[in-house]
Amino acid sequence: MLNIVLFGPPGAGKGTQSDKLISKYDLQHISTGDLFRKHLGEGTDLGKLAQKFMDEGNLVPDEVVIGMVDEKIKAHPNVKGFIFDGFPRTVKQAEALDELMNKKNTPITIMLALEVPDEELKKRLVSRGATSGRADDQDINKIENRIQVYKSETIPVADYYKQQNKFVGVNGVGAINEIFEALSKEIDAKA
Ligand code: AMP
């Protein structure tokens, strides 16, 4: 199995690159942001719980995220692999993911980290806000908070995978296809 953690700050291009990697490697996509937005749209209890965190650009509590991912993994027992997008975002989530995958005997293969400077991220998120309809893309204060939360709570997750020799950084600025080629090269080298 090929299990990829696609890592990077908000606006790094994780969603765009996930779509391309899924088609190329035939993987099951697990995007926690997309799953929360689906719950929000359907007005479920989980959606209502997540909304107040999402609207401010803060992280939804670990237990809630981990439970949702566990369910999603179990719903796809026969896939060729998973691509985790926007998850794990805390070390506690990374530890929980290892536990879930080790139980299946299919550990994480690689963490690919898209590297993009802050100013470029802000530019991309403001421009996405014009069409995405996402509340958290509309307001520069919320955008800056999300980047701040990434730095304080999520960056340590990169160290967690560095310790396992699974971390690979990739330049996330440039043409979409060039970035995709760079990611594919790293996957092929590791798989
Ligand atoms: P995203 O689409 O990945 O930018 O996620 C949008 C929002 O959903 C985040 O700002 C968080 O409020 C919430 N969220 C998504 N994934 C996670 C996660 N792994 N842990 C905690 N909160 C998350």
Side-chain angles (χ1 to χ4, degrees):
M1 252 173 115
L2 172 63
N3 295 313
I4 299 170
V5 171
L6 190 57
F7 189 75
K14 298 188 294 294
T16 305
Q17 295 297 336
S18 283
D19 288 345
K20 296 174 77 66
L21 293 168
I22 288 158
S23 320
K24 176 162 182 179
Y25 295 98
D26 195 13
L27 302 172
Q28 174 63 45
H29 191 203
I30 298 191
S31 157
T32 43
D34 286 354
L35 289 171
F36 282 131
R37 279 184 288 279
K38 188 159 182 283
H39 276 280
L40 223 89
E42 291 170 356
T44 66
D45 288 346
L46 182 59
K48 284 176 196 146
L49 190 157
Q51 181 161 24
K52 61 179 189 293
F53 299 99
M54 295 176 76
D55 279 353
E56 295 306 317
N58 293 322
L59 295 184
V60 177
D62 285 333
E63 298 70 29
V64 177
V65 189
I66 293 163
M68 185 175 73
V69 170
D70 184 18
E71 217 173 86
K72 193 77 186 163
I73 291 172
K74 286 186 178 137
H76 297 279
N78 297 316
V79 293
K80 289 193 179 156
F82 292 96
I83 181 159
F84 297 96
D85 161 3
F87 177 89
R89 256 175 159 104
T90 64
V91 171
K92 195 164 171 214
Q93 291 179 19
E95 288 167 350
L97 180 61
D98 267 353
E99 214 171 286
L100 292 173
M101 299 311 276
N102 288 340
K103 248 189 244 164
K104 283 169 61 73
N105 260 323
T106 60
I108 296 298
T109 315
I110 188 169
M111 170 196 253
L112 293 164
L114 288 168
E115 295 169 341
V116 178
D118 287 3
E119 286 313 308
E120 172 72 14
L121 295 174
K122 285 185 211 167
K123 222 167 61 189
R124 289 185 189 180
L125 290 167
V126 167
S127 124
R128 184 170 81 183
T131 53
S132 72
R134 281 178 56 166
D136 58 352
D137 282 347
Q138 305 293 328
D139 174 340
I140 190 67
N141 293 319
K142 289 179 186 173
I143 288 174
E144 281 175 352
N145 185 44
R146 284 157 68 203
I147 295 172
Q148 216 36 57
V149 167
Y150 171 78
K151 287 185 178 164
S152 57
E153 300 188 49
T154 305
I155 291 255
V157 177
D159 295 327
Y160 180 87
Y161 287 95
K162 277 179 194 166
Q163 281 164 16
Q164 297 188 8
N165 283 323
K166 291 180 178 173
F167 173 93
V168 179
V170 171
N171 176 18
V173 182
I176 290 174
N177 267 327
E178 277 169 22
I179 299 166
F180 174 60
E181 291 305 325
L183 293 171
S184 301
K185 207 175 107 201
E186 297 295 348
I187 294 168
D188 296 342
K190 192 95 178 177

